[in-house]
Amino acid sequence: MQVTDIGSREDGKIWHRKSVSSKYGVLATVVRNASARQTKTVRFLQVAFDTTGESFLAGDHHGNIYVFDISRNRYILYFLLLSFHTCQACTALAFNLRRTTEFLVALADYSIKCFDKDTRQLVSWMRGHEGAISSLSVHSSGSYAISTSSDTAQLWNLDTFQRKRKLNVRQSVGIQKVFFLPHSNTILSCFSDDSIFAWESDTLFCKYQLPVPQDGPRIHYRTFAVTQDGKTLAAAGRSNLVHLWSLDSRQLLRVIQMPPNVKSVRFVDFLPDSFDGGSNQILGVLSQDGVMRFINIQSCKQIFEIGSHEDAITLAAICPKGHHIVAVMDSGALRIYDVRSLTPEISKPPQPLLKLVTKGKSSERSGLKMKVYTGAGQRPVKTSGRRIQSKVLPSAVSTLDDKENDLPNGLNKKRLQALLRAFGEYPAKYRMFIWRSLLHLPENHAAFSSLTDKGLHSAYMCLQERYPIKSHKLQRGLQRVLSALAHWAAVFGETDYLPLLAFPFVKLFENNPLICFEVVATVIVNWCQHWFEYFPNPPLNVLSLAENVLVHHDKELLQHFVACGVTSQLYAWPLLETLFSEVLMREEWLKLFDNVFSNHPSFLLMAVVAYVTCCRAPLLLCTERKDFEYFFHHRNSLDISAMLKEAYRLMDSTPADIHPSSALSDFEPLTQGQYPIFNKYPTFIVEYQSQERERIRQQEVEYLRERQEVQELHAEAVRQQAEFEAWYKQQELLLQGEEQRRRILQEEESKLAQQRARLAAMKRELKVKELNLIDSSRRRFLKHQQDQRRIQLKRLDDEIQRKVLQLAKEQERVSQTVRAEVDTRRRRAEIEDSTFQNFIQANADVSQTNKKVCLTTIFMECI
């Protein structure tokens, strides 16, 4: 069994020989001694695997975070917590976020910090708990997390790092654990009274509650575990019983009784298997004796165990793939186990499903309670062997640099300046980390909290009216930082240009208000020296320093300014009060302040002069005052590298008698614990303004109070007068009402008699109308019958007329035919006149006879 002492090294190998597991399944044991000469061990407290199962985090009680990569046999120290000067021990870890490079750390100061392991930067800082955070649970999507303490549980959005929900409970009922079910939107909340509730994560609607077991002694649940398919819950506590719940049927499946030497259970977790489809069958149970036993929940057979009474385990984490187990030992060391070498049964596929038929006996146990018995799958007996321990050589400490150039986190200012001269800027990935080291930020959490607890300062209550910002989050962050500055020093509540000065830092540190406040405060204390001596006027003494440098290096440009009536308040003060944020792009501004923070505070004034001299060509063409005002409040085409080069030239070539460094002090960081007193301003002016503002406010309050009293007295008098008049009116109305009711009663009696007479007359009229109606109905019926007969006769007449007209037309046609024939025959038979006459006579007789016959036929048809 190999033992690796990582000491103070930042990276290295986990084991130094080929990773062959020992007979006990141990890949390596990792310890950390404080130094090579001391044997004092730095204890590891928490461990957490990532989603791949190949890497895990480990945090010690000094605040260091290590990443161990088992597949690559490497470990790396991410000294993030120390770099931020927290020195807080971690109480919980989470390494399965949606962004795989980020992880969550719960600290002993009840806060949660999110770090990026690649950039080694603080991503966000979340606060809200009032007690120690015992667990962190991350949703399967990696976008939400739940933090649990004894009095509250909070749901966080990991995309915005804002608190979404908060669960509070009564003081008598504490919270044991709140966590997400795997691959589900369900949240399980477990309380100290053994009650378990399931909630919908989106709406926080209670889906169900598991029944509290009534039979047997109370278990006092303390630890919980869920299978990967989210169907089985294991719960244990202050007894040797383990309850297995079915979350589908919401019933208690089984009660597993551990051996008699187990008095309580500290930790339970399921061991994943590649062949069980998420319905994990092996449960790891860590008891108070420091031994973690792995049992099959179906057969209750112990498969293997790790740890012993002499080498006890305090905490363990199981790989999501089920390949490794990392245990935190009672000695403070880490021990990495290879599960596949502990027992061959783990890596075997399951046996075929066979149906066992027994005669006369039941194959199932009676009841739910089952005892754990040991089988042949335990770990092998210990054998003698060497303990391999690697010694760490003390790292050589560089003595070439002066102590004054040494920065926190192992950085050196001289080396950073050389890097800056070579590349012109710091790497964007490490810029914030370098800035915090250069500025020696103390991160005074308690002091900053005391400032923010005072709320918004009255001077910045209506900040959005003067400086409207589209982003509400950015607006609130700017308000919070400015209010903290105003509570720190009264002058900052009266400074009009402070929002312009602080805004670029607020936008840069939007998710970390503490760092933002301390950066702004450090800039004010060091790079804004003597700015407030002539308050509320601009710092003429500081502006004169810049003007002296300008007159020495570019006298022609200064004479042009004088000729145009332009003073340093117009060409230098706009750049200083906004810290170049109005005239530079974001990347240019960051590059500038890389150099500002790496040099003497006088470099900022040199940058102002360098900006003016680099823009001398367009400035010499300006003659109007408004053109100069526009130029120094808007962005211009400028090579930032040339400007920085000019600033360094000015720093090196300016004589000592006019160099701003002779009037400005060296860099002084903020003090630890409490922030320094800032009183470098005419206090009587600020106090006078605040007193005048307070006096005006008191007068306004007194005026409003007196006006309110007058309005109340007037309203009371009006109310009494109205009540008096209303009483008189009410009495008059009562008398009038009484007289009116008497008259109404008499009128009603007379009306009643008239109505009765009218009713009798109406009855008679109705009877007459009824008779008239019957008569009119009878007449109308007779008339209807007559109309029907008349219509029929008219229809017959029309038919006869039609037949007559038809007959006349036919007769006319026949006569025309006959006449034509007669004419023809007359021309033809002039000779036979007599015969033709007889023939005509005969035809005439026949026609007459036919006419009579037709008329007779038509008449008979009509009849």
Side-chain angles (χ1 to χ4, degrees):
M1 182 171 58
Q2 301 188 53
V3 178
T4 303
D5 184 3
I6 62 178
S8 58
R9 289 183 296 178
E10 297 182 5
D11 59 0
K13 294 183 178 181
I14 304 176
W15 53 81
H16 299 279
R17 292 191 307 172
K18 186 177 180 180
S19 58
V20 178
S21 302
S22 68
K23 295 182 179 180
Y24 308 106
V26 180
L27 287 176
T29 300
V30 180
V31 298
R32 179 171 182 259
N33 293 324
S35 63
R37 298 181 180 179
Q38 298 180 3
T39 58
K40 183 179 179 181
T41 302
V42 179
R43 297 176 54 84
F44 286 98
L45 300 178
Q46 299 291 331
V47 290
F49 273 96
D50 64 352
T51 54
T52 63
E54 300 297 331
S55 301
F56 67 92
L57 291 175
D60 61 20
H61 73 276
H62 281 182
N64 295 300
I65 299 294
Y66 290 84
V67 175
F68 291 85
D69 193 337
I70 301 176
S71 61
R72 299 180 181 178
N73 188 23
R74 300 292 298 178
Y75 71 89
I76 300 175
L77 168 62
Y78 288 91
F79 45 95
L80 297 170
L81 302 185
L82 284 177
S83 67
F84 289 107
H85 301 283
T86 59
C87 294
Q88 297 285 341
C90 64
T91 59
L93 293 172
F95 198 19
N96 53 345
L97 277 63
R98 182 171 63 86
R99 292 178 286 271
T100 56
T101 60
E102 295 179 358
F103 58 91
L104 297 178
V105 181
L107 300 175
D109 62 350
Y110 315 148
S111 66
I112 304 172
K113 291 188 176 182
C114 179
F115 297 102
D116 192 303
K117 70 182 184 67
D118 289 346
T119 62
R120 302 192 180 190
Q121 290 187 1
L122 175 65
V123 178
S124 182
W125 179 34
M126 297 170 282
R127 303 188 67 179
H129 283 278
E130 297 179 357
I133 300 172
S134 58
S135 68
L136 292 172
S137 176
V138 181
H139 190 263
S140 57
S141 65
S143 299
Y144 298 94
I146 296 177
S147 56
T148 307
S149 60
S150 60
D151 58 343
T152 182
Q154 301 188 18
L155 177 62
W156 303 90
N157 187 333
L158 297 183
D159 292 329
T160 61
F161 296 101
Q162 298 293 324
R163 184 173 63 193
K164 187 177 179 183
R165 301 278 186 173
K166 183 178 181 180
L167 171 65
N168 292 320
V169 295
R170 299 192 304 269
Q171 294 181 356
S172 58
V173 181
I175 301 177
Q176 290 294 342
K177 190 175 182 180
V178 180
F179 56 98
F180 286 101
L181 290 182
H183 309 291
S184 172
N185 288 330
T186 303
I187 299 175
L188 279 188
S189 59
C190 311
F191 301 92
S192 58
D193 59 353
D194 291 352
S195 61
I196 300 175
F197 292 83
W199 311 83
E200 184 67 29
S201 61
D202 296 332
T203 60
L204 288 188
F205 173 76
C206 183
K207 300 174 66 174
Y208 57 85
Q209 177 186 1
L210 296 181
V212 180
Q214 302 296 333
D215 299 333
R218 185 177 172 186
I219 294 184
H220 298 281
Y221 291 151
R222 288 194 308 175
T223 177
F224 307 86
V226 182
T227 56
Q228 287 185 341
D229 59 2
K231 295 182 178 181
T232 304
L233 170 69
R238 298 176 184 174
S239 71
N240 65 343
L241 301 179
V242 179
H243 284 181
L244 296 178
W245 293 87
S246 173
L247 298 182
D248 289 340
S249 62
R250 303 163 194 173
Q251 297 294 328
L252 184 62
L253 287 178
R254 186 166 298 167
V255 178
I256 300 177
Q257 184 177 8
M258 301 299 293
N261 56 346
V262 175
K263 304 301 180 183
S264 64
V265 178
R266 292 181 179 178
F267 174 77
V268 294
D269 198 2
F270 285 94
L271 181 64
D273 191 355
S274 303
F275 303 101
D276 56 15
S279 58
N280 312 134
Q281 302 298 316
I282 299 178
L283 178 67
V285 181
L286 176 62
S287 55
Q288 90 289 343
D289 57 359
V291 180
M292 191 168 185
R293 300 170 176 86
F294 289 82
I295 58 176
N296 189 303
I297 61 175
Q298 297 297 330
S299 63
C300 288
K301 176 183 177 182
Q302 179 173 321
I303 307 300
F304 63 94
E305 68 181 32
I306 57 176
S308 63
H309 298 283
E310 297 80 17
D311 198 4
I313 298 175
T314 60
L315 183 67
I318 300 178
C319 163
K321 304 296 183 182
H323 297 162
H324 301 95
I325 302 172
V326 177
V328 179
M329 312 307 292
D330 190 45
S331 60
L334 289 180
R335 186 162 293 170
I336 306 173
Y337 293 88
D338 186 358
V339 177
R340 287 167 291 189
S341 64
L342 287 169
T343 173
E345 296 183 8
I346 298 299
S347 57
K348 288 182 179 180
Q351 297 294 328
L353 296 177
L354 300 177
K355 184 176 181 180
L356 180 63
V357 180
T358 58
K359 296 182 179 180
K361 294 183 180 180
S362 175
S363 60
E364 294 182 0
R365 298 175 182 264
S366 60
L368 296 174
K369 192 171 182 179
M370 302 178 66
K371 294 185 178 181
V372 176
Y373 63 95
T374 60
Q378 300 184 31
R379 68 177 187 180
V381 183
K382 296 182 179 179
T383 59
S384 61
R386 295 183 180 181
R387 182 176 179 179
I388 302 174
Q389 182 174 2
S390 62
K391 297 182 179 180
V392 180
L393 296 177
S395 59
V397 180
S398 176
T399 59
L400 299 177
D401 299 324
D402 297 331
K403 292 184 178 180
E404 62 181 8
N405 292 322
D406 290 336
L407 299 176
N409 313 313
L411 299 180
N412 185 274
K413 190 173 182 179
K414 289 292 184 182
R415 296 178 182 176
L416 288 176
Q417 288 176 344
L419 177 67
L420 193 62
R421 289 290 184 96
F423 296 98
E425 60 180 333
Y426 294 127
K429 185 188 300 185
Y430 303 104
R431 176 176 281 120
M432 300 300 104
F433 173 71
I434 295 174
W435 281 15
R436 286 192 287 268
S437 299
L438 288 171
L439 300 179
H440 297 266
L441 300 184
E443 290 197 27
N444 299 327
H445 296 279
F448 180 70
S449 298
S450 65
L451 294 176
T452 56
D453 291 343
K454 295 179 181 180
L456 294 179
H457 195 271
S458 58
Y460 300 108
M461 293 294 289
C462 301
L463 181 66
Q464 64 275 8
E465 297 179 1
R466 291 183 294 162
Y467 300 98
I469 301 176
K470 186 177 181 180
S471 173
H472 297 291
K473 180 181 179 182
L474 199 59
Q475 182 81 44
R476 292 192 299 269
L478 180 62
Q479 249 180 335
R480 184 163 54 247
V481 171
L482 294 178
S483 298
L485 290 170
H487 291 308
W488 175 42
V491 67
F492 299 133
E494 311 293 334
T495 307
D496 296 334
Y497 58 85
L498 188 62
L500 301 175
L501 186 144
F503 178 73
F505 297 104
V506 174
K507 192 172 183 180
L508 196 61
F509 300 96
E510 185 176 1
N511 295 322
N512 200 329
L514 170 64
I515 299 299
C516 178
F517 170 80
E518 293 188 349
V519 169
V520 176
T522 304
V523 169
I524 291 175
V525 170
N526 292 277
W527 283 271
C528 300
Q529 298 180 39
H530 310 295
W531 280 28
F532 305 96
E533 293 179 358
Y534 293 92
F535 183 82
N537 299 315
L540 301 178
N541 50 347
V542 177
L543 297 178
S544 63
L545 295 176
E547 191 169 10
N548 292 336
V549 177
L550 180 61
V551 72
H552 177 77
H553 292 280
D554 199 338
K555 190 173 183 180
E556 179 187 358
L557 182 59
L558 182 63
Q559 290 177 350
H560 177 69
F561 286 158
V562 173
C564 296
V566 175
T567 63
S568 58
Q569 299 183 31
L570 185 58
Y571 67 82
W573 182 235
L575 302 177
L576 289 175
E577 68 178 352
T578 61
L579 295 182
F580 292 86
S581 60
E582 285 185 346
V583 297
L584 295 180
M585 301 290 288
R586 175 185 172 88
E587 297 302 326
E588 295 174 342
W589 187 88
L590 292 174
K591 191 173 183 179
L592 170 63
F593 272 84
D594 284 344
N595 292 269
V596 169
F597 289 155
S598 301
N599 289 278
H600 191 271
S602 60
F603 186 84
L604 183 62
L605 294 178
M606 294 300 186
V608 172
V609 178
Y611 182 86
V612 174
T613 55
C614 288
C615 298
R616 70 187 310 274
L619 289 174
L620 290 174
L621 298 177
C622 297
T623 56
E624 298 293 334
R625 182 181 179 86
K626 61 180 181 179
D627 295 336
F628 288 101
E629 293 177 352
Y630 182 88
F631 185 88
F632 289 105
H633 285 88
H634 293 79
R635 294 170 183 167
N636 304 288
S637 57
L638 174 70
D639 185 2
I640 187 65
S641 300
M643 171 188 159
L644 293 174
K645 186 177 180 180
E646 177 67 13
Y648 279 110
R649 188 189 69 81
L650 296 177
M651 286 284 291
D652 298 335
S653 61
T654 302
D657 55 341
I658 62 172
H659 201 288
S661 60
S662 61
L664 300 179
S665 304
D666 293 337
F667 175 80
E668 287 293 335
L670 299 180
T671 56
Q672 291 279 352
Q674 293 293 332
Y675 296 116
I677 298 175
F678 188 85
N679 56 0
K680 299 177 181 179
Y681 58 90
T683 56
F684 65 93
I685 294 179
V686 177
E687 291 176 356
Y688 174 75
Q689 289 182 348
S690 60
Q691 290 174 0
E692 284 296 310
R693 184 182 292 105
E694 183 66 19
R695 182 181 61 81
I696 294 173
R697 191 183 67 82
Q698 291 293 341
Q699 290 179 354
E700 185 177 359
V701 170
E702 183 67 20
Y703 166 73
L704 293 175
R705 186 183 61 81
E706 292 178 356
R707 188 177 69 175
Q708 182 67 21
E709 290 179 355
V710 171
Q711 290 178 351
E712 290 177 356
L713 290 175
H714 179 69
E716 182 67 20
V718 171
R719 186 183 61 81
Q720 292 179 358
Q721 182 67 23
E723 289 180 354
F724 189 70
E725 293 178 356
W727 184 81
Y728 271 105
K729 288 182 179 180
Q730 187 177 9
Q731 295 299 320
E732 293 177 359
L733 290 175
L734 288 175
L735 294 176
Q736 293 176 1
E738 185 178 359
E739 292 293 332
Q740 185 177 2
R741 283 174 176 76
R742 287 197 183 96
R743 290 195 303 270
I744 290 173
L745 184 60
Q746 293 175 359
E747 292 175 357
E748 289 296 328
E749 290 178 353
S750 61
K751 287 180 180 180
L752 183 60
Q754 294 175 2
Q755 286 178 358
R756 288 175 180 174
R758 284 198 299 270
L759 183 60
M762 288 175 62
K763 285 182 179 180
R764 290 193 297 270
E765 292 178 359
L766 287 174
K767 188 66 175 177
V768 173
K769 287 182 179 181
E770 184 179 359
L771 294 175
N772 293 334
L773 182 62
I774 293 172
D775 184 63
S776 63
S777 298
R778 185 179 59 81
R779 292 173 182 274
R780 192 164 52 251
F781 179 71
L782 292 176
K783 184 179 179 183
H784 178 69
Q785 286 184 341
Q786 290 176 359
D787 292 341
Q788 290 292 331
R789 293 291 179 86
R790 190 180 296 110
I791 291 171
Q792 290 179 358
L793 290 175
K794 190 176 185 310
R795 189 182 298 115
L796 290 174
D797 291 341
D798 292 342
E799 185 67 22
I800 292 171
Q801 188 68 25
R802 186 179 63 79
K803 291 291 186 179
V804 171
L805 291 176
Q806 185 178 0
L807 181 61
K809 290 180 180 179
E810 183 68 23
Q811 188 176 6
E812 182 68 23
R813 184 180 60 80
V814 172
S815 61
Q816 289 178 358
T817 304
V818 170
R819 280 196 297 269
E821 186 179 355
V822 168
D823 292 340
T824 304
R825 289 185 179 183
R826 184 181 297 164
R827 287 191 301 267
R828 210 183 265 182
E830 288 179 354
I831 300 173
E832 299 176 353
D833 184 39
S834 60
T835 304
F836 182 74
Q837 288 295 329
N838 293 333
F839 179 75
I840 291 297
Q841 185 67 35
N843 285 336
D845 293 340
V846 172
S847 298
Q848 189 66 28
T849 304
N850 289 336
K851 181 178 182 181
K852 289 179 180 180
V853 172
C854 290
L855 290 174
T856 303
T857 302
I858 293 172
F859 181 74
M860 291 304 291
E861 288 178 357
C862 292
I863 294 174

